[in-house]
Amino acid sequence: MTEVTKTPAAGDALPVKTGKRTNPLANVFDELVRFAQSRSLFMLHYCTGCGAIELPPAMTSRFDMERLGIQPMVSPRQADILLVTGYVSVKTLKRVILTYEQMNSPKYVIGICSCTVNGGMYWQSYATAKKLNDYMPVDIYIAGCMPRPEAVIAGLRGLIEDIRRGTADTWKDYYRRYDHYLGNQQRLFGEDWQTPTDVIAEARHYGLFGPGTLGERTALLERHQKPLEALEMKLDIPELMARRSGLGSKGRTEVK
Amino acid sequence: MDALRLMLELFLMPLVAFVIGLAMVLLMRRIGARLQRRVGPPLLQPLWDIIKLHGKETQTSHGLIHEIGIVMAIGGFVAAVTLIPVPGMNGLAEQGGLIALIYMMMIPSLGLALGVGQCANPNGSIGISRALTAMLAYDIPMVIVVFGIAFFFGSTNLVQIVEAQQAGGIATWGLVEMPLLAIAGLFAMQAMLGKQPFEIYIAPAEIATGPMVEMGGKFLGGLFIMQCFQLYTAGALYTLLFLGGGENWLTFLIKVFGVVAIPMTIAFLFPRYRTEDVVRLVWKWPAMIGLLGIAFLMY
């Protein structure tokens, strides 16, 4: 892994290793890991729209995703695939991005239904994000309104094949062209949009810097960014607080 | 020579336990799939899961204790496995005994609690508090069962317990001699494995898998490894206490897999109890059956 010591300037191209490694044993190891990654996919389904209705048949006895090694998981930290099923409103998109940034790489995004491709029947809606891949890199779109379970399985098989060949690396794109994605997000959510995950720091730590990681949009982010602070612990129940303060004063008088 | 043999056993026993545990995870998932009329995962699925989780390129750690907690969770079971005699290998079983084994089996839950505590995720904290409450619940019947066994055989040495059971064939098995304790032990094992209906601390739908909520990548991989050891430890312990251990590897494996298959088969037919109901149920029924079993042994 490349160690990045100095902060790269905007537009700096850093060497990001691609392709095969020179050590043949390392190549075998990479092949094994890639195969394991393709055969074991934990799926987080962000069921925003009607496409979610086609997932239960794909998971249960009729089509049984588990025979392909795909199983549902409930927390973004555990998941490999983010499945966005259906239209994404502006408010939902914030949550989808938060979820996406919390996932551990390599992570894959699948857009199901035509709504994620181009807005679908919500094309004229003012509150719907039209193209999902403006805001995060999408590996595979499964178009249709809604796609049948067969189509979902076929799409997942395509993703599995991509992972095994090592070509499903769009997640790196989010780090390398963060400025582009952040720009699109800021266009929707306003200039002061920020997420708890520090994508730039992650890119620096894992050596995933690209020419487009930093730019004018990330400069804007840095200007607006507030440091994350732990929430203050407080109970805001008036009756309880009143009773407590009453007890406290009584205790004090007794001591006297 | 003895030291060399012991070193080899201490290396081999966890390894064997892990491989058997992988097969048990597969068994569990296959049973679930069959009951739901699915095909189920392929043969090496548990292994691919673990390799994939350790092969994640970004790992979200929440600090030192988060990582140490996982090591404790696996280490506790690795230590426990070396105390379980298997055919041909005794490891530390002679020196350790039953009480040390029960003690070792509590360490993983505590390690998990430490690790989850550092994550500072409210779902994780709820999950681990439920897990520790469940531990408090199932440990009471567990201790009753262990006391009954130790009283009956007059020893806490697992090697002696197994030898005493193998002396007269099936007639001297713990299961035949102490049927009530065997039932209580099976009940406690269901709770110990955290299978439905005692699955409240994982509760995927309500608290997003509880303790595992912030565990991704190698941390979840560590927990998957822990699960392999957990299944093996529970199955092997029950086999040693009630089914006469194993005369050879074939009978041992048949018994261990048979024992683990029972809670799995029950599990997929049930929803789950709430925490207080788990405590009430486990302190009432298996504890009472266990006490009754001890009463029969004593008089």
Side-chain angles (χ1 to χ4, degrees), chain B residues 168-187:
Chain B
I170 292 181
T172 49
W173 279 11
L175 181 70
V176 182
E177 306 253 22
M178 303 166 282
L180 287 178
L181 284 183
I183 293 171
L186 200 61
F187 211 130

Side-chain angles (χ1 to χ4, degrees), chain B residues 187 190-191 194-201 263 266-275 277-278 281:
Chain B
F187 211 130
Q190 183 102 17
K195 288 288 140 202
Q196 298 94 331
F198 309 115
E199 193 221 11
I200 187 69
Y201 64 88
I266 299 171
F268 288 100
L269 305 177
F270 277 100
R272 47 181 167 260
Y273 286 117
R274 289 180 307 175
T275 315
D277 289 344
V278 169
L281 192 82

